[in-house]
Amino acid sequence: RRFERELKEILKRSAREKSDGALLLIDLDNFKSVNDQLGHHVGDELLVEFAELLTSAVRSTDIVARFGGDEFAIILPEADQTVATAVGAGIVDAVRRRFGGRPNVLHRVTASIGIVTFAEARYQGTDLFLLADQLLYDAKHSGRDRFASLVPAVGDSRPAPPAVSRRRVEEILDEDALSLELQPILEIDSGR
């Protein structure tokens, strides 16, 4: 509730002062596997550690909240796309470094993040949360362990994130999860 109240106030102030800000929606990848394989007590400890990681990754004026399960949100008041992207990239990297060398399924814990600025949501005429949620799932469907934001402006020299992370490719190969299928292209009338 506090998060929602704070967000409403920040959005009002942003519209009034013509300032920007950003919303980051964050989901822990492979969290269910931690609970299933190591137990809910380990999952709970992981959530506490992740929350501490998030609060240490942002300014004291930023707001971090847990929405439930393994979903978190961060409001970055007066942050532009560059700042929001830097924060998102920093969180993805920090999670990778924090959990990457751990035993069991913990080494597979990563973060997927949807990043949207207030200005982008206003420009799109879309609800801020809806847009951030769509971007979060874009990050998840692109291989996890990454962030997604709207397409950079023309002339922006930032490289696009890779479609699939190296870690995900290694997991797919380890799980022998590739299969090749033939899908012929047929002319409907003749069947050729």
Side-chain angles (χ1 to χ4, degrees), residues 90-151:
I91 291 169
V92 168
D93 186 56
V95 171
R96 192 180 297 138
R97 284 185 283 115
R98 174 84 55 105
F99 299 108
R102 295 212 179 158
N104 304 315
V105 73
L106 288 171
H107 78 279
R108 293 181 53 212
V109 172
T110 57
S112 293
I113 305 175
I115 302 171
V116 65
T117 63
F118 303 165
E120 289 169 335
R122 282 192 298 264
Y123 177 76
Q124 296 277 334
T126 305
D127 178 76
L128 185 68
F129 266 95
L130 180 63
L131 190 52
D133 193 52
Q134 289 171 344
L135 291 166
L136 168 63
Y137 283 94
D138 286 349
K140 283 191 146 328
H141 294 313
S142 293
R144 302 177 181 178
D145 190 24
R146 70 190 65 243
F147 65 89
S149 60
L150 293 178
V151 177

Side-chain angles (χ1 to χ4, degrees), residues 9-22 76-80 117-120 122:
E9 287 302 313
I10 291 167
L11 288 173
K12 284 181 192 174
R13 187 171 57 242
S14 172
R16 187 174 58 245
E17 298 172 1
K18 305 285 190 238
S19 61
D20 206 359
L76 304 173
E78 300 182 27
D80 61 11
T117 63
F118 303 165
E120 289 169 335
R122 282 192 298 264

Side-chain angles (χ1 to χ4, degrees), residues 1-99:
R1 289 182 186 149
R2 177 178 170 239
F3 183 84
E4 290 173 7
R5 281 194 312 269
E6 295 275 353
L7 180 59
K8 283 180 186 176
E9 287 302 313
I10 291 167
L11 288 173
K12 284 181 192 174
R13 187 171 57 242
S14 172
R16 187 174 58 245
E17 298 172 1
K18 305 285 190 238
S19 61
D20 206 359
L23 173 67
L24 283 69
L25 288 185
I26 307 159
D27 190 72
L28 276 174
D29 305 318
N30 301 307
F31 179 72
K32 184 179 181 323
S33 297
V34 172
N35 276 338
D36 291 348
Q37 295 179 28
L38 303 176
H40 289 276
H41 66 287
V42 175
D44 291 345
E45 291 170 7
L46 175 68
L47 290 174
V48 169
E49 186 176 354
F50 182 63
E52 291 169 354
L53 182 147
L54 291 180
T55 56
S56 69
V58 298
R59 306 166 295 193
S60 62
T61 55
D62 300 331
I63 300 166
V64 178
R66 178 176 172 219
F67 270 20
D70 59 343
E71 291 189 347
F72 290 78
I74 299 175
I75 304 170
L76 304 173
E78 300 182 27
D80 61 11
Q81 181 67 43
T82 303
V83 170
T85 300
V87 170
I91 291 169
V92 168
D93 186 56
V95 171
R96 192 180 297 138
R97 284 185 283 115
R98 174 84 55 105
F99 299 108

